Amino acid sequence: MGANNHPDYSEEMERLEYTKEYMQRLLAETEREAAKSRENIRQSMGDLEHLDSSQSYINILTNARFFEMAAGRKEEMEAVLQNPYFARIHFKKEGEGAELLYIGKTSLFHRETQEPVIVDWRSPVANVYYDGRIGDVTYEVNGEENRGHLYAKRQYKIEGGTLKDIRDIDLTTNDELLQEALSGKADVRLTEIVSTIQKEQNEIIRANLKRPIIVQGAAGSGKTTIALHRISYFLYTMGGNFPPEKLMILAPSELFIGYISDVLPELGVDKIRQTTFETFVLGATGLKLKVADPNRKLERLAEGSAVDSNTLLLSRLKGSLAYRDALDRYVAMIEKETALLFEDVFIEKFRIIKKERLRRLFLNEFSYLPLQKRLDRIAGILKTETARKRKEILATLTVRYEQALDKALFGIRDDRRRREQTTRLIDERDVRLPAIEREGKKTAATYMKRFRAYNIKQLYRRWCTDEEFIRKTACDWTETEREVCVKAAGEERWETEDLAALLYLQARLKGIPDEWKMRSVFIDEAQDYSAFQLAALRDALDTDMFTIVGDLAQGIHSYRSVRDWETVRNLFPRAAYRTLQKSYRTTAEIMESANKVLGGLAAGLPLVEPVVRHGPQPEVHQAETFDPEAVHELYRAIRSRGHRSVALITKTAREAADMFAGLAGGDGEVMLLSQGSVPESGRLLIVPGHLAKGLEFDAVMVAAFSDPFRDEELDRKLLYVAMTRPMHELHLIGDFSALLGRRSDQENPDRM
C-alpha cells in the first residue's frame, strides 16, 4: 500500500515536514554557532601577541571545543536529513502518559521543551520496537527494569525526504517488511539493516556490553552487520568511558575493510581502528617483517599442489595453546636469566641496595608487569634510592671529615704533623666527595646497562632454532613436532602463524604501546583464527572484552585455526555464547543447494535455515572449458534483470587471474579483486573464493575448470562460501557433480 493511501497520510506528512524543517533550522543555528566559534578563535589568536595571553589560550581551547561539537552535530544531522526516522511506536511508560516516539539513526530533542523529536535506535526505549510485541513490555535502563504498554508499531519508507510508504506492524506485516528489505540490492543492505533488525539479532547487538560474546552465525545471518551495530550500540551506551579510538575491528582482509568502510560513518563509528591481525601485530610490536601471503598455503591446498605434511603440522602447532605454553616456559627462563644479573648496588664502597631486594622486586612485587617494564620500575627506584643515599653518604662523610680535621687541628701539638694531617684530610675530602657525587649521579644508569634491551625477533629466533631450548620448553610436544619446528625455523621465513608468538612475546617481555592498547575488540570471521592468536590478543591487550563472530562451516583455514567454539569459550570463560542459524541473505532455493554441499562434510555442521524468500533455482551450466563470450553473455543477462553487483567466484587465485585475462576487454567491464581492492559497482568482479568470504552480491557466477571443486573438506567449504554470497541469483559454470550429485530436474542443464 502506498503512503498516500494510509488513513494517517496527511498527519504523517505534516510530522515529516515539521521534522525536516526543525532540523534545517537547527542546522542554520549550528552553522552560526560554528561561525561564531571560528571568529572567536581568530580574535583570540590575535590576542596571543600580548604578554598576558593565558586567557586567550583558554578562549581558543573553549571555542575549538564548541566548533568541534557544532561541526560534529551538523554532520550528524545532514546525514539523516533526507531520512530522519524509519519507525514509530505508540508507547506508554508505567506512571507516565502515552506518547508517539519516532525512531531513527540519531537522537534529536526540541531545544525549548526537551521533548524527543527523534529517538536514537540504540536508546533503551527503542528496544521496545525491535523486541516488544504489542501489549505489556519491559526494557532495561542502566540495569533497572522499566515497564510499559506498547499500543502500536509503525514503519516508514522515506527516500530523499519523501514519504513513500507507511505500514502498521503486526507479525505478518513485519515479515513483509523484511522480505522487501531482503529483496533489495546488496550495495545498500548494510546501511539499511537498522530498520529491519530481527529479534535474535537485536538480542546480540544489545547483549551485556561488559561481557564478551561469541556468535556462531550461519552464512547470511547478518554476523558482520550485527558486529558493526553492536559497536555503534557500544559507543552510544558506553562512549563516555570508551573513546572510539580504543575500539578495534579485526577484519579478514583489506578488501573486507573497504567493503564495510561506507557503513561505519553512518553508524557513527568511523573513528575506530579497522585493521587486519597482521597489521595490528606489526604495529603493536614495531617489527619490520616481510610476512608470507597468508593465503598462499590455502591456495596450494586448493590447487591440489603437494603440501608437505610437516608444513601443515607446523601450522597447526604454531596455532595451538601448546605452542603458547612452550613460549611461557621460555619467558620464565628469560626471567630467571635476567634475575641473576642483579648484584648489590654500591656507591664507592657503600652498599646502597642488596641484590636480594632487587630480585624480589623483579620476580615478585612487579610480576604483574612485562619484564622490561619491571626493569624500568627498578631503574626508577634505583635513581631515587641512589640520590637519597648519595646525599646521606656525603652528609655523613662531611661530618666525619670535619671531626677528623677538628681532631687534627686541636689534638696534634706538632706543627709539621698537624699541617700534614690537615692537608691530607682536606685533599682527600676535596677529591673523594666530588667523586662520590659524580659516581652517585651515574650509579643507576651504569648499573642498568647490564640489562640488554629485549629484541623480540632475536629472542623468538633464538628459541625456535635451538634444539636445547625447544627440548627444555616444549616438553609436551612430540619428537616430530620439535624436529619440524627447529628445521623450519632455520629458514628464517615469517608466516602468519608466527605473528601470535611475536605478539605474545612483546606482551610478556616489553608490553604493548598505549596507541595499540585497545580496550574492546570485534573480530569477524573468527573461525579463521587459531586458539593461540585469540589468546595472544586477549593477553596482550589485557582484556576479555571481545565480540567474536564466525561460522565454522566457512573455516577454510581449519588446518591452522579453531575447529570448535569450545576452545574459544575456554579462553573467554565469561563469554555469552549465541547461535544464528537463520540466513537472511539468500533465497530458499540457493540455500537448499548450499546446504547439500555443507551436508557432505563429516563434521556434521548444522544446516542453515533460510528466511522463506523465493527466487529462481540455481542454474548449473555444464561446460568442459572456459568460454569468455558465454560468461559475458550470462553477465549481461543478469544485469538486464536489474542486478548491480555481480561476482564471478573461482576456487583459486590462479584461476581467477586466468579468467580475468580471458574476460578483460577494452571496455573496463571486468575487475579482478585482490587483498587491497575496492570493489567498483557496475563491473563484473572476479574474486577467488577465500577473498569472497564476508562479501555479498546481488548475483554470483561460480566457475571452475583448471582447478575444479573436489569432494574434500576444503573444497566443500570453499564452494559453500561461494554459493552463499548471492542474494538473488546463483549460476554454477563447469562440472560440480562431485559435490552436488546428480543434477535435479529443476537445475538448468544448459551447456556453455
Side-chain angles (χ1 to χ4, degrees), residues 572-606:
F572 296 88
R574 294 196 318 121
Y577 178 73
R578 299 284 186 273
T579 59
L580 291 169
Q581 285 308 116
K582 190 176 288 186
S583 175
Y584 296 95
R585 175 184 297 135
T586 196
T587 63
E589 289 77 10
I590 293 174
M591 207 66 244
E592 183 183 354
S593 292
N595 274 336
K596 286 180 184 177
V597 175
L598 192 60
L601 289 173
L605 294 164

Side-chain angles (χ1 to χ4, degrees), residues 514-571:
D514 286 344
E515 64 178 299
W516 292 95
K517 202 75 180 279
M518 300 296 113
R519 294 174 62 185
S520 189
V521 181
F522 297 77
I523 299 180
D524 204 352
E525 303 294 348
Q527 75 280 350
D528 291 336
Y529 283 69
S530 69
F532 189 16
Q533 281 179 307
L534 294 171
L537 281 168
R538 180 200 63 189
D539 293 349
L541 298 175
D542 194 24
T543 180
D544 70 348
M545 292 295 290
F546 280 60
T547 294
I548 298 170
V549 299
D551 180 16
L552 294 176
Q554 299 180 64
I556 58 178
H557 293 280
S558 57
Y559 62 91
R560 62 169 165 83
S561 61
V562 295
R563 299 181 68 93
D564 61 77
W565 292 120
E566 196 58 37
T567 304
V568 184
R569 293 176 75 176
N570 289 335
L571 287 171

Side-chain angles (χ1 to χ4, degrees), residues 629 631-641 667 669:
E629 187 50 46
V631 171
H632 270 300
E633 188 177 331
L634 177 57
Y635 171 61
R636 292 182 186 117
I638 292 170
R639 287 297 303 269
S640 72
R641 291 188 282 275
D667 55 5
E669 190 177 40

Side-chain angles (χ1 to χ4, degrees), residues 508-746:
R508 294 292 310 276
L509 298 178
K510 300 179 75 171
I512 303 299
D514 286 344
E515 64 178 299
W516 292 95
K517 202 75 180 279
M518 300 296 113
R519 294 174 62 185
S520 189
V521 181
F522 297 77
I523 299 180
D524 204 352
E525 303 294 348
Q527 75 280 350
D528 291 336
Y529 283 69
S530 69
F532 189 16
Q533 281 179 307
L534 294 171
L537 281 168
R538 180 200 63 189
D539 293 349
L541 298 175
D542 194 24
T543 180
D544 70 348
M545 292 295 290
F546 280 60
T547 294
I548 298 170
V549 299
D551 180 16
L552 294 176
Q554 299 180 64
I556 58 178
H557 293 280
S558 57
Y559 62 91
R560 62 169 165 83
S561 61
V562 295
R563 299 181 68 93
D564 61 77
W565 292 120
E566 196 58 37
T567 304
V568 184
R569 293 176 75 176
N570 289 335
L571 287 171
F572 296 88
R574 294 196 318 121
Y577 178 73
R578 299 284 186 273
T579 59
L580 291 169
Q581 285 308 116
K582 190 176 288 186
S583 175
Y584 296 95
R585 175 184 297 135
T586 196
T587 63
E589 289 77 10
I590 293 174
M591 207 66 244
E592 183 183 354
S593 292
N595 274 336
K596 286 180 184 177
V597 175
L598 192 60
L601 289 173
L605 294 164
L607 299 183
V608 183
E609 307 165 25
V611 169
V612 183
R613 178 171 66 87
H614 291 287
Q617 286 284 349
E619 295 185 16
V620 178
H621 306 268
Q622 285 291 109
E624 294 179 3
T625 57
F626 176 59
D627 183 347
E629 187 50 46
V631 171
H632 270 300
E633 188 177 331
L634 177 57
Y635 171 61
R636 292 182 186 117
I638 292 170
R639 287 297 303 269
S640 72
R641 291 188 282 275
H643 299 311
R644 293 198 292 256
S645 62
V646 184
L648 173 63
I649 301 178
T650 63
K651 179 179 149 185
T652 65
R654 177 174 66 186
E655 192 156 35
D658 290 344
M659 290 189 184
F660 173 72
L663 288 166
D667 55 5
E669 190 177 40
V670 184
M671 180 181 184
L672 178 64
L673 294 186
S674 58
Q675 280 279 2
S677 300
V678 178
E680 295 180 20
S681 183
R683 300 174 72 180
L684 174 58
L685 305 172
I686 303 178
V687 54
H690 67 268
L691 283 182
K693 199 150 46 65
L695 306 184
E696 178 176 276
F697 308 95
D698 292 337
V700 164
M701 296 179 277
V702 183
F705 293 97
S706 58
D707 291 323
F709 289 93
R710 302 156 296 178
D711 188 8
E712 296 177 4
E713 179 184 343
L714 175 59
D715 286 34
R716 281 190 178 274
K717 286 183 175 180
L718 282 168
L719 182 56
Y720 176 75
V721 167
M723 291 176 70
T724 53
R725 297 309 97 199
M727 291 179 61
H728 306 296
E729 285 191 38
L730 174 63
H731 299 266
L732 302 172
I733 307 170
D735 183 3
F736 293 84
S737 56
L739 281 79
L740 293 175
R742 184 175 56 84
R743 294 194 310 274
S744 70
D745 294 336
Q746 293 176 312

